[in-house]
Amino acid sequence: MAKIAYILLCHKDPEAIIQQAEQLTAVGDYMAIHFDASADPASYALIRAALDHNPNVTFVRKRIKCGWGEWSLVQATLLAVEAAAENFSRATHFYMLSGDCMAIKTAEFTHNYLDQNDRDFIESYDFFDSNWIKTGMKEERLIYRHFFNERANKSLFYGAMELQKRLGLKRDVPNDIQVQIGSQWWCLRRQTIERILEFTHTRKDVMRFFRTTWIPDETFFQTLVRHLVNESEIETRTLTFLMFTDYGMPVTFHNDHYDLLLSQDFLFARKISPGAKELKSRLGRLYASRDVKFQISNEGRSLFKFLADQGRAGRRFGMRFWETESSLGRERELMIVVCKKWHVAKRLVENVRQVTDMPAIEYLFDEEATSLPDLGGIQSSLGKRTRHRRALMRMLFEYHDSDRLVVCMDPSNLDLMHDFFSDRSRTRLLQIDCDFTDDYLSGHARRVGLAGDRTSQATLDRLMPTIRNDITHEADRIRDADFSSHVRIRQSDNTDINAAKLMEFFSVSQDQAQQLAQTRHLFED
């Protein structure tokens, strides 16, 4: 049975640290603590007084002062790892934690999971070839020596780096290692930890290199594990559930996130809000519980993205210089069919192709797999189609040798609709209003990743009003845009009413409009 030695680096909130240590060690696991030497001495004294009697807790003998992005964080981690390895000979795994982390599975589940998955869990992506670093410095982290803290001494930090550039003091990475990068929240087996500790004593050249790199806690362990362990024994992921906002800030979890956290395919989560007392209490009790069944749906990240996007409606695409003066052509007519239920619009436009001679294209700005002719590569991806939308439309008009073209769009593409209506061509819009049952919305949530097959009904019930309001909001935004030549058909209207509107929109005969309105299974799910 797996036994875990938790490696905890902390610098504040002694009550939370004491609680965390007591909860995680109550079932037989261990903890090694490094409390920042620059933090409040009284807080450290409080922690020692509460935990010194606990045989499953050990403390680093010599604490050091830690700074964000510095080697000191790795050094503190190594000191805690050494203390854990020395004091807890029965520990099979070493799990890196922060004071903001809490278990979101039981100890029973966690131990069984590690027993069944005999590998190291650590994010490790190639430093130079991957896109893990989104902004800021990249190779400069490694090829120059960093002696100052960027946050504490910004002028000295950048001044020293610029001086090295001018003097040509660029250095090479040790030639037998391939630098990796990833999250610092790892879980490693004992044999891997022992190899790392031995490596730190024998490879002084590598240690000197990392001591002067910037943010080494994202590269040191990640690189050494790849260097020392067979790739088949590494799973490139963290077992700690964490998310970041668009601004690079970690998402904080609160009392109402309990069910969401338990349904994620992770063992721990961070950051738990200091004020989430109820959540901390429930998660603390959970770790020692037995025979708990978890329904893993893993929709957390997609759900967060969906909810975060609610406040961003209405943003316009900036006009590209090559499209500012372009036009589809005054003599051309673009007919946009808008429907949230894609299968409904697809059935209609398929019938349009059969009943009329108009070319009709399905969701070309929403579905990568939409069937399109070869237009020299402009059609190859959704990004290219959107960036070069007017050029793409002109080419489609020309390819089909027609002055009339029907295309389908999702209601969320309001920016595209605005753009096409601002063109000198004639643009029309057909909005199809459908009924949305709870069963359909549940299926929609699963199809787009907002929920999984095992998402609880309680979670779905809370999510349903948000999805329904989102769909309604998209429809309202289109109506509020006050587009000219805007026609709506409704599932709730009879065939004759819809046929009259279709005749107006497509400029077809009454018989053709009736055939379109009577499209087989048009509104069925």
Side-chain angles (χ1 to χ4, degrees):
M1 173 70 73
K3 292 183 78 66
I4 305 169
Y6 291 106
I7 309 301
L8 178 64
L9 268 58
C10 48
H11 65 281
K12 61 179 181 178
D13 203 354
E15 292 82 5
I17 293 167
I18 294 167
Q19 183 183 49
Q20 186 182 35
E22 290 176 340
Q23 290 169 345
L24 292 177
T25 59
V27 294
D29 287 322
Y30 311 106
M31 179 173 286
I33 298 176
H34 179 278
F35 193 80
D36 195 331
S38 62
D40 179 19
S43 295
Y44 182 59
L46 184 63
I47 295 171
R48 292 298 300 256
L51 298 177
D52 269 344
H53 70 282
N54 189 330
N56 286 8
V57 176
T58 190
F59 292 86
V60 172
R61 291 192 188 96
K62 182 182 179 181
R63 297 183 297 136
I64 61 173
K65 295 181 179 181
C66 297
W68 187 91
E70 295 181 5
W71 168 253
S72 55
L73 288 176
V74 176
Q75 187 179 1
T77 304
L78 287 171
L79 290 171
V81 166
E82 288 176 343
E86 178 183 339
N87 288 279
F88 307 130
S89 59
R90 297 180 61 194
T92 61
H93 293 76
F94 294 70
Y95 197 121
M96 186 72 183
L97 288 179
S98 75
D100 298 319
C101 297
M102 288 204 72
I104 56 174
K105 297 293 185 292
T106 61
E108 179 182 53
F109 181 100
T110 298
H111 294 156
N112 288 337
Y113 184 90
L114 295 177
D115 283 336
Q116 295 165 14
N117 296 274
D118 183 23
R119 56 181 67 94
D120 297 308
F121 293 89
I122 183 168
E123 280 191 353
S124 52
Y125 302 98
D126 186 275
F127 184 91
F128 294 100
D129 293 340
S130 72
N131 192 35
W132 200 86
I133 298 175
K134 303 298 184 185
T135 60
M137 295 189 303
K138 189 169 184 177
E139 66 173 9
E140 290 88 351
R141 290 192 189 186
L142 306 180
I143 63 175
Y144 298 113
R145 296 166 179 82
H146 300 281
F147 304 102
F148 304 100
N149 188 292
E150 192 265 351
R151 293 189 173 184
N153 298 289
K154 193 178 291 288
S155 59
L156 290 175
F157 178 90
Y158 288 106
M161 187 168 65
E162 288 302 317
L163 179 62
Q164 291 177 72
K165 289 181 180 180
R166 288 199 299 270
L167 296 176
L169 296 180
K170 176 181 175 181
R171 63 176 174 175
D172 294 325
V173 175
N175 57 21
D176 64 332
I177 67 170
Q178 185 175 4
V179 179
Q180 305 285 307
I181 191 166
S183 167
Q184 62 269 57
W185 312 112
W186 40 255
C187 178
L188 303 177
R189 297 168 298 173
R190 186 179 193 92
Q191 60 265 38
T192 301
I193 287 294
E194 289 173 347
R195 291 176 188 174
I196 290 173
L197 293 177
E198 181 183 1
F199 185 94
T200 63
H201 292 109
T202 58
R203 290 297 302 271
K204 300 301 183 184
D205 59 322
V206 175
M207 299 298 286
R208 284 194 299 271
F209 171 78
F210 277 107
R211 279 193 186 98
T212 52
T213 60
W214 182 236
I215 321 182
D217 56 321
E218 294 180 346
T219 56
F220 179 78
F221 289 96
Q222 297 77 0
T223 300
L224 265 59
V225 171
R226 282 285 175 184
H227 184 74
L228 299 170
V229 179
N230 190 289
E231 184 177 358
S232 63
E233 298 180 41
I234 302 171
E235 187 155 341
T236 307
R237 62 164 293 195
T238 174
L239 294 176
T240 298
F241 179 57
L242 65 162
M243 297 188 296
F244 292 90
T245 69
D246 289 350
Y247 303 99
M249 300 300 292
V251 172
T252 301
F253 299 108
H254 299 277
N255 288 333
D256 56 351
H257 288 130
Y258 180 80
D259 291 331
L260 171 72
L261 292 176
L262 265 59
S263 67
Q264 304 312 304
D265 187 21
F266 296 86
L267 304 181
F268 279 75
R270 73 178 304 266
K271 303 174 67 169
I272 307 299
S273 170
K277 303 298 185 184
E278 179 186 349
L279 177 61
K280 288 186 174 186
S281 177
R282 295 179 72 183
L283 291 177
R285 293 193 301 271
L286 173 72
Y287 192 68
S289 302
R290 298 187 63 83
D291 299 323
V292 178
K293 302 299 182 184
F294 295 93
Q295 299 295 319
I296 307 298
S297 55
N298 216 32
E299 76 282 8
R301 289 193 171 95
S302 56
L303 183 58
F304 173 75
K305 183 179 185 301
F306 168 74
L307 294 174
D309 283 347
Q310 299 310 297
R312 303 177 188 146
R315 293 184 303 176
R316 292 294 307 274
F317 287 107
M319 289 295 293
R320 275 69 179 181
F321 71 90
W322 59 81
E323 292 189 335
T324 304
E325 299 301 328
S326 64
S327 172
L328 306 187
R330 292 183 183 277
E331 73 286 356
R332 287 173 173 161
E333 187 172 16
L334 178 65
M335 287 164 279
I336 302 173
V337 177
V338 175
C339 186
K340 195 65 181 179
K341 290 186 176 180
W342 292 6
H343 59 277
V344 173
K346 288 180 179 181
R347 287 173 189 154
L348 179 63
V349 299
E350 174 60 29
N351 207 14
V352 168
R353 284 191 286 261
Q354 295 178 12
V355 172
T356 74
D357 60 352
M358 286 184 288
I361 302 170
E362 296 169 0
Y363 288 83
L364 74 168
F365 296 110
D366 303 284
E367 272 188 313
E368 196 91 50
T370 298
S371 179
L372 291 169
D374 186 355
L375 302 173
I378 194 174
Q379 83 294 339
S380 61
S381 70
L382 290 177
K384 284 187 177 181
R385 296 174 203 172
T386 301
R387 284 194 300 273
H388 309 292
R389 51 198 176 275
R390 293 196 184 187
L392 174 66
M393 284 300 178
R394 287 198 306 273
M395 296 171 79
L396 287 170
F397 275 112
E398 292 165 4
Y399 176 85
H400 290 287
D401 192 22
S402 172
D403 288 336
R404 308 184 77 202
L405 180 66
V406 181
V407 297
C408 297
M409 288 189 194
D410 188 87
S412 62
N413 291 329
L414 186 64
D415 303 300
L416 292 175
M417 299 173 212
H418 275 295
D419 188 33
F420 287 124
F421 269 94
S422 68
D423 190 76
R424 291 192 291 270
S425 63
R426 296 190 299 275
T427 303
R428 299 185 184 188
L429 190 145
L430 173 65
Q431 186 173 358
I432 305 177
D433 290 344
C434 301
D435 298 334
F436 295 92
T437 65
D438 286 348
D439 285 343
Y440 176 84
L441 293 178
S442 297
H444 174 74
R446 292 185 174 91
R447 285 190 294 274
V448 300
L450 298 177
D453 292 336
R454 296 184 176 181
T455 298
S456 67
Q457 188 59 46
T459 299
L460 282 172
D461 289 343
R462 290 198 299 272
L463 183 59
M464 210 71 67
T466 304
I467 299 176
R468 190 180 295 278
N469 289 340
D470 185 61
I471 292 173
T472 301
H473 178 60
E474 288 179 344
D476 288 342
R477 288 171 61 213
I478 293 174
R479 289 195 288 273
D480 293 341
D482 197 26
F483 293 124
S484 59
S485 304
H486 178 187
V487 175
R488 293 169 61 198
I489 64 172
R490 300 180 179 86
Q491 182 174 351
S492 56
D493 288 343
N494 62 44
T495 302
D496 290 339
I497 293 175
N498 285 337
K501 295 178 179 178
L502 291 171
M503 182 171 67
E504 173 192 351
F505 179 76
F506 287 113
S507 300
V508 294
S509 68
Q510 186 172 0
D511 288 342
Q512 289 175 312
Q514 280 290 340
Q515 292 181 59
L516 295 179
Q518 294 170 3
T519 297
R520 185 176 175 81
H521 307 305
L522 178 58
F523 290 105
E524 290 185 11
D525 293 332

